[in-house]
Amino acid sequence: MHRLKAVEVEQDRVNTPCGHKYSVVGFANLQGLEISVKEAGTKGRKASALCRKQGIEIERIHDPRFGKVGLYPESVLIEVFSTGQS
């Protein structure tokens, strides 16, 4: 059973080379960070710009708090969250 899980984890890694996709708020929660609505909007715009620059399609999902939100690759969100605290 443990070996099967290891194979599934590796297959998942290969299938998502940029990492999993998260909303800005979802990623912040995963990292244990508090984020304001204003800050989430700012980081979302930065993530969208980075995705456009890199030719990455932004998936949109419905969010009860914000309407539609983007899902960004983990690698993009790591970059956005690591550049300053704004």
Side-chain angles (χ1 to χ4, degrees):
M1 189 64 158
H2 179 69
R3 286 181 45 167
L4 178 59
K5 183 66 180 163
V7 169
E8 288 171 343
V9 167
E10 179 62 12
Q11 182 178 9
D12 190 48
R13 185 188 67 77
V14 170
N15 289 339
T16 55
C18 292
H20 293 284
K21 291 185 174 184
Y22 302 99
S23 67
V24 170
V25 173
F27 183 78
N29 288 340
L30 195 66
Q31 302 301 315
L33 303 171
E34 293 286 324
I35 188 167
S36 69
V37 172
K38 182 180 176 193
E39 190 180 5
T42 300
K43 290 191 183 301
R45 284 188 290 282
K46 288 181 182 176
S48 290
L50 266 174
C51 285
R52 281 193 299 277
K53 186 175 166 186
Q54 297 175 23
I56 298 169
E57 187 178 338
I58 301 166
E59 190 178 334
R60 300 251 174 230
I61 60 164
H62 177 74
D63 183 283
R65 296 162 296 184
F66 305 108
K68 291 260 186 205
V69 296
L71 291 182
Y72 308 101
E74 188 174 24
S75 59
V76 168
L77 290 167
I78 288 169
E79 190 173 335
V80 167
F81 275 77
S82 66
T83 56
Q85 294 300 313
S86 59

